[in-house]
Amino acid sequence: GSNPKYKLGNQLKACFEMAGDSKSVIAIHQMPNQCQFIASRLKSRYSCVEAIELDELYDYASRIEESHGYDRALAVLDFAGTCMTAVKSKLGTIRQALVEKRMPKVKTHMPQLKALLDICEEDSLAPVIPALYTLIQVPDAHLYRRELLREMERAIGAVLSCDSANLPDAAWLVRNRTRRLGRLLSRCTVGTTLLIKGLEFDHAIVLDADNYNACNLYVALTRGSKSL
């Protein structure tokens, strides 16, 4: 059981088995990067709980706002790659062409290419949301950071509706609203004890439990109302 691959295999198996239930599930790990890694292996069935201070949202909001043409398309593609699997690997040729500021020469992933070129050709943020939805359709792509994607969509919507002057400001306003009103969690979620403290789920799966201290273990063990 000490073999890392064996341990990961058991963790993923437990998560997949519990996801078949119609009730809410929380899979708990101590490390945020491990939460993302595990969620990325669960074929879109689970999504990560994000920190309220969501640095990737602010960083990509600034990058998208400040760039244009190929650079903006590249920023959107890279943002998508932080939210879902397969985008980085399957669209690598397109990404390299955008880096070199030239027209990609590919015969596959044409819907995604068209959506990215639409971003290049328009100064407005309007083509960004359709491009993100098209990138989700990449074969074998699994979306595991729904909250991050959803907040970016809301921020872009705020700019397009003139509720905010620019995307970084909109991202801050959107996240502040989430802080005040609470987040909408996916039915199956992966998160740290820090981010789920005070929340209740039907089922809880405690991953790597032998590395928790007493306080965090107590939080983890008391999140599931029906099973642990």
Side-chain angles (χ1 to χ4, degrees), residues 81-126:
T82 69
C83 299
M84 61 194 83
T85 64
V87 169
K88 291 179 181 178
S89 59
K90 296 207 169 187
L91 301 185
T93 300
I94 292 176
R95 187 186 186 280
Q96 186 59 38
L98 295 175
V99 169
E100 297 171 1
K101 295 182 172 55
R102 59 177 173 80
M103 181 67 69
K105 296 179 180 179
V106 294
K107 295 182 179 179
T108 58
H109 308 300
M110 298 309 292
Q112 288 75 31
L113 175 57
K114 181 183 183 304
L116 291 168
L117 292 178
D118 287 344
I119 294 172
C120 297
E121 294 166 3
E122 186 172 336
D123 204 43
S124 165
L125 292 173

Side-chain angles (χ1 to χ4, degrees), residues 178-204:
T178 297
R179 185 201 308 272
R180 289 185 290 105
L181 301 179
R183 62 178 105 227
L184 178 64
L185 294 179
S186 300
R187 182 178 69 81
C188 296
T189 304
V190 186
T192 64
T193 52
L194 177 64
L195 295 178
I196 63 166
K197 188 176 181 179
L199 302 178
E200 184 177 271
F201 303 81
D202 294 309
H203 307 294

